[in-house]
Amino acid sequence: MARLVMKFGGTSVGSIERIRNVALKVKREVDAGHEVAVVVSAMSGETNRLVDLVSSISSMHDAREYDVVVSTGEQVTVGLLSIALQELGISARSWLGWQVPVRTNAIHGAARIEDIPCDEIIRRFAEGQVAVCAGFQGIGSDNRITTLGRGGSDTSAVALAAALKADQCDIYTDVDGVYTADPRIATKAAKLDKITYEEMLELASLGAKVLQTRSVEMAMKYRVKLQVLSSFEDLPGTFVVDEDDIVEHQVVSGVTYTRDEAKVTLQQVADKPGIAATVFGALADAHVNVDMIVQNVSENGHATDLTFTIGHKELPQAMKVLEKLRDKLDCKAIVPDPDVVKVSIVGMGMRSHAGVAQKMFSALAEKGINIQVISTSEIKVSVLLAEEYTELAVRTLHTAFGLDAA
Ligand code: ASP
Ligand code: MG
């Protein structure tokens, strides 16, 4: 007997027929004698619809009321799934965030889970009851409904698995696992049997959309055994595991990309102390997250170019902030470029292999792809490219690092 958390995303509960299919999957685990907690998202498209409703009334809305509205999608699916389970003769009940309770801080719209006392759920496991829990929502320290940020039900599931000390957390989704690259772009991409938490964390934050980044952080912290698998096929998925559970590390395990980037160049900005602090301080104050940064040594000792990247959506806000600083910066021009992509390679093996970055740069150079900005960490190398090269770059790197499926 094991204790399982099964999480189903929006597409997996997108229709009544699919909710019935989920109920059958849950029944199978219950019949096998396992204790099961299910975490569900809202039906696909529903959260977007709710967000649009809120925005259509006010763009500067009260975040607490936003949470009241957008959390309702999950209230519908926990109820429907509980009924579907009961129809199959399974004892099940729904749990909203505040009922569990999933305690969070009071940062509405982006709350963080602090604690999940789940004694009552565990007590009911002993009576054979399945807990059907609403993902994405909790109750804040202000005693009001909170949501965890878009895609947050992955984090709900992992947090619940940690709190329940579950043996496994299965994330059922519309893909059958984690791939070496986006299969829509790299037709030779292969499904990975296993990947480490560290690699998954990099992949998730660098654009792979299978899991919310915060859910991977949490799985890593609490060593929750995670599996990403398809809710439509009966196949094993990808396990996200500890480093020690993988015998031989690939130098590169995956290639990923994100178009969610924009580049800004401050041309001929004064080369003197305090400029970077002024620029990035002002951006931070405006809640603009800066990712990659390059600055050259100035030729003449007076002025140099400063280039950095930010989220695509944040470009207008960043430009506003920079225009205000214009006089202070005394630069020749502020040049925005929204048409860029960040392509990254990720792999634990990089820690022990030299020449990985060089191999990446050569492979791109051979295809005539110009690299605009580079950033590295222990297990990844990212490059910023013109967006038109996305597909070519991903395929080229996939082949160069020997990831193409036979
Ligand atoms: N329904 C929420 C969203 O769309 C949470 C989730 O699906 O993970 O963001
Ligand atoms: Mg999701």
Side-chain angles (χ1 to χ4, degrees):
M1 188 197 81
R3 182 172 291 173
L4 303 177
V5 171
M6 304 171 77
K7 185 257 165 177
F8 294 89
T11 45
S12 310
V13 293
S15 68
I16 293 300
E17 194 196 328
R18 288 183 174 182
I19 289 174
R20 284 210 178 99
N21 171 53
V22 166
L24 286 170
K25 285 196 177 286
V26 173
K27 181 178 188 308
R28 201 161 62 188
E29 303 298 353
V30 173
D31 289 347
H34 302 314
E35 295 178 340
V36 182
V38 188
V39 173
V40 287
S41 296
M43 294 169 89
S44 53
E46 182 60 10
T47 310
N48 287 341
R49 190 183 73 85
L50 296 166
V51 170
D52 288 348
L53 287 179
V54 173
S55 314
S56 68
I57 293 192
S58 163
S59 56
M60 295 295 292
H61 45 256
D62 181 335
R64 292 162 299 192
E65 304 305 348
Y66 165 94
D67 280 350
V68 169
V69 178
V70 303
S71 60
T72 57
E74 277 74 10
Q75 177 159 346
V76 172
T77 46
V78 284
L80 291 175
L81 180 58
S82 298
I83 294 170
L85 284 165
Q86 289 165 7
E87 282 295 301
L88 297 174
I90 307 254
S91 162
R93 75 152 272 189
S94 62
W95 296 87
L96 297 177
W98 63 269
Q99 293 172 314
V100 174
V102 176
R103 293 197 201 284
T104 73
N105 61 16
I107 313 288
H108 286 271
R112 287 195 168 249
I113 298 176
E114 288 175 343
D115 185 28
I116 308 182
C118 38
D119 318 359
E120 184 56 20
I121 288 179
I122 292 171
R123 195 187 65 71
R124 287 163 183 253
F125 278 159
E127 295 171 355
Q129 192 176 75
V130 172
V132 182
C133 306
F136 185 49
Q137 52 171 264
I139 177 155
S141 47
D142 55 358
N143 218 26
R144 301 194 58 176
I145 291 173
T146 52
T147 62
L148 309 180
R150 300 304 307 275
S153 51
D154 290 337
T155 302
S156 306
V158 174
L160 187 64
L164 288 168
K165 299 194 171 53
D167 298 285
Q168 194 164 311
C169 181
D170 287 330
I171 309 278
Y172 289 85
T173 177
D174 50 2
V175 293
D176 58 0
V178 180
Y179 277 73
T180 49
D182 183 344
R184 288 169 303 182
I185 284 193
T187 44
K188 291 181 181 145
K191 189 171 84 182
L192 294 159
D193 296 330
K194 286 180 183 179
I195 187 164
T196 64
Y197 292 117
E198 288 83 353
E199 288 167 323
M200 192 65 235
L201 193 56
E202 290 284 8
L203 289 176
S205 55
L206 294 170
K209 298 213 163 56
V210 251
L211 288 173
Q212 198 203 29
T213 307
R214 213 182 323 145
S215 71
V216 185
E217 268 166 19
M218 192 172 294
M220 183 157 107
K221 181 165 170 200
Y222 295 101
R223 300 284 141 183
V224 173
K225 190 172 160 201
L226 267 189
Q227 181 183 201
V228 178
L229 70 173
S230 164
S231 51
F232 306 117
E233 281 166 287
D234 250 330
L235 292 168
T238 301
F239 281 94
V240 187
V241 297
D242 221 71
E243 203 185 326
D244 304 338
D245 295 333
I246 295 184
V247 186
E248 185 129 19
H249 288 290
Q250 294 289 332
V251 175
V252 169
S253 301
V255 181
T256 188
Y257 67 95
T258 168
R259 290 195 167 98
D260 191 23
E261 298 276 319
K263 183 182 74 170
V264 178
T265 301
L266 305 180
Q267 284 178 349
Q268 297 298 301
V269 69
D271 191 11
K272 62 179 188 202
I275 289 293
T278 305
V279 171
F280 298 116
L283 290 170
D285 288 343
H287 301 286
V288 174
N289 253 322
V290 175
D291 179 18
M292 306 162 107
I293 302 175
V294 272
Q295 180 176 6
N296 272 324
V297 181
S298 51
E299 270 171 44
N300 51 13
H302 303 304
T304 181
D305 288 355
L306 174 61
T307 298
F308 55 88
T309 67
I310 53 180
H312 202 273
K313 279 200 211 109
E314 294 170 323
L315 187 57
Q317 171 73 355
M319 288 303 287
K320 228 193 263 169
V321 171
L322 294 167
E323 287 297 345
K324 269 197 209 137
L325 290 179
R326 200 173 191 125
D327 290 342
K328 236 196 230 170
L329 297 178
D330 188 26
C331 61
K332 206 173 106 201
I334 303 174
V335 186
D337 180 0
D339 302 319
V340 289
V341 62
K342 183 167 69 171
V343 176
S344 311
I345 54 174
V346 172
M348 296 298 274
M350 270 182 219
R351 291 189 303 199
S352 47
H353 280 77
V356 178
Q358 180 274 328
K359 187 169 173 180
M360 179 186 200
F361 305 155
S362 307
L364 294 172
E366 265 168 41
K367 300 284 178 184
I369 302 173
N370 186 42
I371 299 171
Q372 302 181 1
V373 186
I374 300 166
S375 76
T376 64
S377 80
E378 219 188 354
I379 64 162
K380 73 122 204 268
V381 185
S382 298
V383 292
L384 196 76
L385 313 169
E387 193 175 1
E388 59 189 301
Y389 293 120
T390 310
E391 284 84 0
L392 181 61
V394 170
R395 286 190 207 122
T396 299
L397 296 173
H398 199 267
T399 305
F401 287 98
L403 296 172
D404 288 355

